[in-house]
């Protein structure tokens, strides 16, 4: 009906029948693929080579490397840690002290992380009272007029009282209301106080699940029992299944020296990779451990290095006066980072990727045609043979047939 309408419309138009016929041919001419055999080794090589590259990409990269035929799921995990070890310290301004896990693991429980105390500055006997501020360009004074009463400097140590007091025999600073005596954190020990912490061990218990495939795993493998845990220690070469790690080994695997790092602290990552291939022909699904330092250690841009924080222990004197001991704790924070993806054969992604591969292969003749019509010396001949316009002459053919029968 549409064709009939266009023909009637064109017949009713003015004398420009040529343009109408051209439009009809453009809309209704049928094009069909034509097989043109070119006996050229060069062209055949280009065609097969492109096919080979497409097949190599699909089989080698898509199927083998990316495993695009699989359905995937992301890991969900939980982590708990338990550190063991003890040490004695004997510093000149501190008495002999015994340290166990309750002293150096702060806080006792962390969310996929634990902090190992390695160094500290301790300020004992602090009370809420008045004392001279630590000297710096903003706190030094000549008289009371230089100290504004009630001024609170966030970088200072307390609220100013408005008085200028002697900090030493040569320096005067503004008096503050604070916990006195003030902390002097420049007296950080050059050698880590808990240098023996490098021999401490940590047990990492990690349970994971892939809910899409109903897979549940843990890093304490089925063959591990209590007697094994009492004697094993993780080593990438000799005992890669043991979930107990010596802290010195973790730091060294991250490319750091424990004693150097312990002075000012830092942040280390314990990375557990649970990437699993769940197809029956694949290998086992076991965790893979790697270790990496996470905080900034750039030699030319290392402002505020390390890791530290403050905490205090409060008590009262026999007279009922509240006092505290302030600790500025330096140490290594260990972040346990669990990641991974599980894959299993799936019919839907397989069909999708097979279809994508076939679509890639359908582009190969187009590339070969471009090469023939652009780069070959006989491209004009190939161009003429590539496209043929069929012209039908029914009247001439009918006349020829009638003449033939008449002659007979």
């Amino acid at each position: 009906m549409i064709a009939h309408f266009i023909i009637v419309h064109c017949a009713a138009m003015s004398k420009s029948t040529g343009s109408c016929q051209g439009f009809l041919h453009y809309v209704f001419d049928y094009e069909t693929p034509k097989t043109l055999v070119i006996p050229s080794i060069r062209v055949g090589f280009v065609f097969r080579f492109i096919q080979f590259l497409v097949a190599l990409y699909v089989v080698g990269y898509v199927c083998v490397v990316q495993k695009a035929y699989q359905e995937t799921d992301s890991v969900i995990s939980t982590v708990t840690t338990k550190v063991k070890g003890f040490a004695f310290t004997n510093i000149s301004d501190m008495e002999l002290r015994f340290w166990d896990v309750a002293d150096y693991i702060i806080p006792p429980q962390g969310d996929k992380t634990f902090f190992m105390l390695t160094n500290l500055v301790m300020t004992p006997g602090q009370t809420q009272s008045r004392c001279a501020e630590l000297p710096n360009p903003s706190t030094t004074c000549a008289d009371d007029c230089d100290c504004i009463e009630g001024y609170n400097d966030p970088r200072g140590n307390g609220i100013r009282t408005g008085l200028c007091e002697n900090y030493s025999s040569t320096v005067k600073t503004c008096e503050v209301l604070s916990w006195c005596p003030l902390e002097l954190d420049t007296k950080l020990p050059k050698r880590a106080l808990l240098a023996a912490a490098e021999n401490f061990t940590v047990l990492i218990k990690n349970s994971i699940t892939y809910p899409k495939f109903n897979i549940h795993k843990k890093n304490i493998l089925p063959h591990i029992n209590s007697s094994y845990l009492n004697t094993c220690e993780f080593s990438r070469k000799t005992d890669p299944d043991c979930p107990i790690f010596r802290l010195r080994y973790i730091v060294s695997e991250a490319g750091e020296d424990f004693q150097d790092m312990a002075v000012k602290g830092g942040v280390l990552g314990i990375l557990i990779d649970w990437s699993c291939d769940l197809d029956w022909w694949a290998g086992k699904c076991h965790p893979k451990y790697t270790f990496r330092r996470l905080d900034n250690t750039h030699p030319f841009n290392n402002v505020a290095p390390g890791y530290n924080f403050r905490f205090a222990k409060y008590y009262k004197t026999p007279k009922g006066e509240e006092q505290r001991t302030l600790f500025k704790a330096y140490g290594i924070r260990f972040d346990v980072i669990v990641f991974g993806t599980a894959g299993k054969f799936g019919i839907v992604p397989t069909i999708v990727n097979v279809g994508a591969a076939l679509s890639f292969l359908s582009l190969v003749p187009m590339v070969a045609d471009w090469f023939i019509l652009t780069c070959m010396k006989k491209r004009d001949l190939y161009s003429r043979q590539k496209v043929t316009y069929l012209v039908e002459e029914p009247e001439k053919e009918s006349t020829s047939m009638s003449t033939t029968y008449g002659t007979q």
Side-chain angles (χ1 to χ4, degrees):
M1 294 297 294
I2 296 176
H4 177 71
F5 171 77
I6 295 175
I7 293 172
V8 172
H9 181 69
C10 288
M13 292 176 64
S14 61
K15 295 181 180 180
S16 64
T17 57
S19 60
C20 184
Q21 290 179 356
F23 172 75
L24 290 174
H25 283 298
Y26 177 78
V27 174
F28 294 106
D29 282 359
Y30 171 69
E31 297 178 0
T32 183
K34 177 184 178 180
T35 302
L36 178 64
V37 179
I38 301 175
S40 171
I41 296 178
R42 185 181 179 186
V43 175
F45 174 79
V46 171
F47 178 71
R48 297 304 180 190
F49 181 70
I50 298 173
Q51 281 186 325
F52 171 76
L53 291 180
V54 172
L56 184 64
Y57 167 77
V58 172
V59 176
Y61 181 75
V62 175
C63 294
V64 177
V65 178
Q66 294 293 322
K67 293 183 171 61
Y69 58 86
Q70 291 183 331
E71 294 180 328
T72 59
D73 192 17
S74 298
V75 68
I76 299 175
S77 79
T78 181
V79 174
T80 59
T81 60
K82 183 183 292 185
V83 180
K84 287 188 177 181
F86 60 88
F88 284 96
T89 58
N90 188 9
I91 308 299
S92 58
D93 58 346
M94 295 177 62
E95 297 180 355
L96 182 66
R97 178 166 181 169
F98 173 81
W99 299 77
D100 63 10
V101 66
D103 298 313
Y104 54 71
I105 297 299
I106 309 165
Q109 296 293 329
D111 183 16
K112 297 182 180 181
T113 184
F114 64 95
F115 174 79
M116 178 67 233
L117 176 69
T118 57
N119 210 0
L120 82 160
V121 174
M122 187 170 65
T123 309
Q126 285 188 325
T127 61
Q128 290 196 11
S129 56
R130 300 184 178 196
C131 52
E133 177 66 282
L134 299 178
N136 62 61
S138 65
T139 60
T140 54
C141 58
D143 52 43
D144 295 346
C145 296
D146 296 330
C147 302
I148 302 174
E149 184 179 0
Y151 177 71
N152 179 13
D153 184 0
R155 294 182 175 86
N157 292 284
I159 301 175
R160 294 184 183 180
T161 63
L163 301 178
C164 182
E165 298 291 340
N166 291 324
Y167 178 80
S168 65
S169 59
T170 58
V171 179
K172 298 181 72 176
T173 60
C174 294
E175 184 184 67
V176 293
L177 176 62
S178 181
W179 285 95
C180 299
L182 300 178
E183 176 192 66
L184 191 61
D185 60 0
T186 57
K187 294 183 178 181
L188 180 68
K190 300 301 181 182
R191 186 177 184 273
L193 179 66
L194 282 170
E198 66 178 5
N199 292 316
F200 295 174
T201 60
V202 56
L203 167 64
I204 299 177
K205 294 188 288 185
N206 175 214
S207 299
I208 64 102
T209 181
Y210 287 107
K212 187 174 183 178
F213 305 121
N214 195 27
I215 297 296
H216 304 274
K217 296 280 186 178
K218 59 182 181 179
N219 68 328
I220 300 179
L221 303 180
H223 69 273
I224 294 177
N225 52 35
S226 298
S227 59
Y228 174 79
L229 285 180
N230 290 331
T231 58
C232 78
E233 182 178 319
F234 178 87
S235 173
R236 198 177 302 281
K237 295 180 179 179
T238 60
D239 202 350
D241 295 336
C242 181
I244 298 177
F245 303 81
R246 193 168 295 275
L247 300 187
R248 179 179 61 243
Y249 183 88
I250 295 176
V251 176
S252 63
E253 282 285 297
E256 302 289 336
D257 181 80
F258 187 93
Q259 295 301 327
D260 292 339
M261 192 174 180
V263 176
K264 292 188 175 181
V267 182
L268 276 177
I270 302 174
L271 284 68
I272 307 179
D273 182 7
W274 279 97
S275 296
C276 299
D277 189 344
L278 301 179
D279 290 326
W280 62 269
W281 60 81
K284 297 179 180 179
C285 182
H286 288 169
K288 302 177 184 64
Y289 301 95
T290 54
F291 311 95
R292 182 176 301 173
R293 183 162 186 174
L294 303 180
D295 60 324
N296 180 33
T297 57
H298 195 282
F300 302 108
N301 185 19
N302 196 19
V303 180
Y307 182 79
N308 64 79
F309 60 90
R310 291 177 175 87
F311 68 96
K313 294 183 178 180
Y314 298 86
Y315 55 94
K316 286 189 176 182
T317 64
K319 296 182 180 180
E321 182 184 19
E322 184 182 27
Q323 291 188 355
R324 76 175 189 181
T325 298
L326 178 65
F327 298 90
K328 185 175 183 181
Y330 295 80
I332 304 175
R333 194 185 78 191
F334 295 87
D335 293 345
V336 184
I337 303 171
V338 182
F339 63 97
T341 302
K344 191 174 185 179
F345 176 81
I347 188 64
V348 173
T350 300
I351 293 174
V352 170
N353 284 279
V354 169
L358 294 177
S359 65
F360 278 126
L361 288 174
S362 67
L363 298 176
V364 175
M366 298 176 60
V367 178
D369 288 346
W370 174 86
F371 176 78
I372 292 170
L373 300 177
T374 305
C375 304
M376 298 294 291
K377 292 180 179 179
K378 298 180 180 181
R379 54 182 173 270
D380 294 334
L381 173 62
Y382 298 149
S383 179
R384 290 194 300 270
Q385 297 296 325
K386 177 67 177 174
V387 180
T388 303
Y389 192 84
L390 180 63
V391 178
E392 297 182 355
E393 298 180 355
E395 295 180 358
K396 183 177 179 180
E397 181 180 356
S398 177
T399 304
S400 175
M401 293 291 290
S402 299
T403 305
T404 301
Y405 285 124
T407 303
Q408 293 177 349

